[in-house]
Amino acid sequence: QVRLVESGGDLVQPGGSLRLSCAAQGIIFSINTMAWYRQTPEKQRELVAVIPSGGSANYADSVKGRFTISRDNAKNTVYLQMNNLKPEDTAVYYCNAAIKSTLWGNVNGYWGQGTQVTVSS
């Protein structure tokens, strides 16, 4: 069994910073792509940032220059550093990971439980 455990959501003032973490736990052979999404009641879930196991990260235009995604493969963890936060960044943030539990197994997609980020004065 595999699960993704998120942390780091909070209430922050505009212009502030937060760092989200997402740790993959369980039986893990390898992790391919890891990503962060966000969702509000008014919008569908949208991709914020994605980082492959090797290669460059990609970002939604709305967060370029403000957010940075990174990963620590030794800890099976992905991070999202969010700077210069704006009220429109308010959302529930979800991590997603493509994981193989065994050498010969399939790659399955997993979601975290979500963490609330609220940007407000």
Side-chain angles (χ1 to χ4, degrees), residues 3-4 36-37 43 60-61 64 71 74 91 102 113 115 117:
R3 64 172 186 159
L4 302 182
W36 287 95
Y37 289 74
K43 291 184 179 180
D61 287 343
K64 281 180 181 176
R71 59 192 287 171
T102 63
Q113 80 281 6
T115 186
V117 172

Side-chain angles (χ1 to χ4, degrees), residues 43-119:
K43 291 184 179 180
Q44 290 184 334
R45 191 171 297 189
E46 64 173 356
L47 179 65
V48 175
V50 58
I51 184 168
S53 57
S56 301
N58 283 289
Y59 299 90
D61 287 343
S62 58
V63 307
K64 281 180 181 176
R66 300 187 297 122
F67 291 10
T68 302
I69 188 172
S70 62
R71 59 192 287 171
D72 184 335
N73 292 328
K75 295 182 179 179
N76 292 331
T77 299
V78 62
Y79 305 97
L80 186 68
Q81 177 67 43
M82 305 184 292
N83 298 328
N84 191 21
L85 282 160
K86 304 176 180 181
E88 51 264 41
D89 295 318
T90 297
V92 178
Y93 284 70
Y94 297 89
C95 67
N96 174 270
I99 297 174
K100 289 183 67 174
S101 292
T102 63
L103 174 61
W104 306 111
N106 296 323
V107 175
N108 295 308
Y110 295 89
W111 291 94
Q113 80 281 6
T115 186
Q116 177 70 47
V117 172
T118 303
V119 185

